[in-house]
Amino acid sequence: MSWELHRVSLKLLSPMHIGWRKIGNLQQTRYYVPGRTLWGALTARIARDCRKFDYMKTGIDVDKFLRFSYFYPSDNEERITLFPWDKRDEYDWKFMGSTVNTALDLGAKIADEGSLHEIEYIAPRTRDGKQVYLIGYIFEHKDCGLNWKAALTKLQIGGERTYGWGRVEIDGSKGCAQVVQFDLDGYDIDLEQESPVIELSESYSAISHVLADNQIDSFASSGNIEPLIGLETTKEEEFGAEISASQICWTPGTKFSNDHTFVIGEKGIWKSKS
């Protein structure tokens, strides 16, 4: 077997903001944790733990030896119970929140003009008081030597981290368990290939971004397309200074008119298997 599959359950300890877009004064969060975001958090943590702070090499190694699903909030410690495209109103009510902030003009002792803004977040507890977990999967190559499981215990994910946002913890064996398939109907995993492969049944939605190309576009029966980019750190003193190349993708929640097989690529992005 070329790859091992691990189900990961991260206990969310504080609000988490995954930057998406800005509408007026509202900074919206994504409803999930993309593979790129988890890749960045793990790369930063592993690079710091090994004391070399070589973010570029560590990022290349994480790309080579690890693959990710996207992570979704859940009030169940072991499985995803609701996707945002299934029951949007219920999902928003259950997991989403926002806070309004402004900067202060200390000299005048008033709010700084034009600084009022609202930030959305995924809440650490549901509105009915249940603990929120981030549930997803990590694929580990058989030759992987990265100490990624230890890094999981010290992650901080997303934006606003200087305010304590994005803190998570993991509960040992229960928080990271080896499995052979996703605990979801409609998704069949093959771990024997050069990269992990997922077979998506027709009536089910993609749960990651899917690269748009001529081979798959004509089969999309619902969904949206967006350019996917990110900020990357290659040097310790230049945090987030590099802008990644843009990738045009179908968004999570997209459905296709037939069964399709995808390769799970770097940073969790799916690509149609030819």
Side-chain angles (χ1 to χ4, degrees):
M1 186 178 294
S2 299
W3 298 84
E4 291 182 353
L5 178 63
H6 302 267
R7 184 189 66 235
V8 176
S9 173
L10 300 173
K11 183 178 181 180
L12 187 58
L13 302 178
S14 60
M16 183 179 65
H17 176 81
I18 306 297
W20 181 21
R21 61 188 180 185
K22 186 175 181 182
I23 300 177
N25 289 336
L26 175 63
Q27 298 178 22
Q28 289 189 292
T29 183
R30 291 190 182 272
Y31 294 88
Y32 48 82
V33 180
R36 173 178 291 278
T37 303
L38 191 61
W39 169 85
L42 270 177
T43 294
R45 187 71 266 167
I46 293 170
R48 292 165 188 160
D49 284 351
C50 69
R51 303 291 183 181
K52 294 181 180 179
F53 299 96
D54 190 340
Y55 294 100
M56 180 177 289
K57 181 182 182 305
T58 303
I60 292 172
D61 288 343
V62 172
D63 272 336
K64 182 177 181 180
F65 295 112
L66 298 176
R67 295 286 190 274
F68 309 99
S69 77
Y70 283 22
F71 279 59
Y72 290 84
S74 175
D75 58 6
N76 184 297
E77 190 175 358
E78 297 183 350
R79 62 186 178 87
I80 300 167
T81 56
L82 183 66
F83 286 107
W85 50 83
D86 288 336
K87 297 179 180 179
R88 181 64 173 272
D89 290 343
E90 180 181 346
Y91 194 94
D92 284 352
W93 182 86
K94 207 169 193 180
F95 298 116
M96 309 305 295
S98 68
T99 181
V100 177
N101 301 282
T102 188
L104 295 178
D105 183 337
L106 297 180
K109 296 182 180 180
I110 58 173
D112 193 8
E113 184 176 355
S115 67
L116 183 68
H117 60 282
E118 183 177 3
I119 303 176
E120 281 187 338
Y121 58 80
I122 299 173
R125 288 194 172 273
T126 63
R127 290 190 191 271
D128 52 357
K130 294 181 180 179
Q131 175 63 50
V132 172
Y133 300 88
L134 304 174
I135 308 295
Y137 297 85
I138 295 179
F139 300 82
E140 179 184 23
H141 193 271
K142 61 182 177 65
D143 297 326
C144 180
L146 298 170
N147 196 13
W148 63 272
K149 291 181 183 178
L152 280 179
T153 65
K154 296 175 280 186
L155 287 188
Q156 201 173 356
I157 301 171
E160 308 297 321
R161 294 190 300 276
T162 55
Y163 297 102
W165 285 26
R167 294 186 300 115
V168 296
E169 69 176 15
I170 189 167
D171 178 20
S173 59
K174 195 172 185 180
C176 184
Q178 186 173 345
V179 295
V180 294
Q181 289 289 335
F182 284 5
D183 298 318
L184 297 166
D185 294 331
Y187 307 86
D188 188 37
I189 303 297
D190 182 359
L191 302 173
E192 299 290 347
Q193 307 301 316
E194 183 177 350
S195 290
V197 170
I198 184 166
E199 185 175 328
L200 175 66
S201 298
E202 177 182 353
S203 58
Y204 292 86
S205 301
I207 55 175
S208 295
H209 279 94
V210 177
L211 277 177
D213 60 31
N214 293 333
Q215 186 173 342
I216 194 66
D217 291 356
S218 60
F219 293 100
S221 58
S222 66
N224 298 307
I225 286 181
E226 68 175 356
L228 191 63
I229 60 174
L231 300 178
E232 299 178 2
T233 300
T234 56
K235 298 179 181 179
E236 182 182 359
E237 66 277 7
E238 297 179 6
F239 181 81
E242 298 288 333
I243 301 176
S244 67
S246 176
Q247 295 175 292
I248 306 303
C249 297
W250 291 96
T251 59
T254 297
K255 289 186 177 181
F256 299 95
S257 57
N258 295 319
D259 293 354
H260 280 284
T261 302
F262 299 95
V263 175
I264 300 177
E266 295 175 359
K267 301 173 184 68
I269 298 173
W270 295 2
K271 181 178 181 180
S272 182
K273 190 175 188 298
S274 56

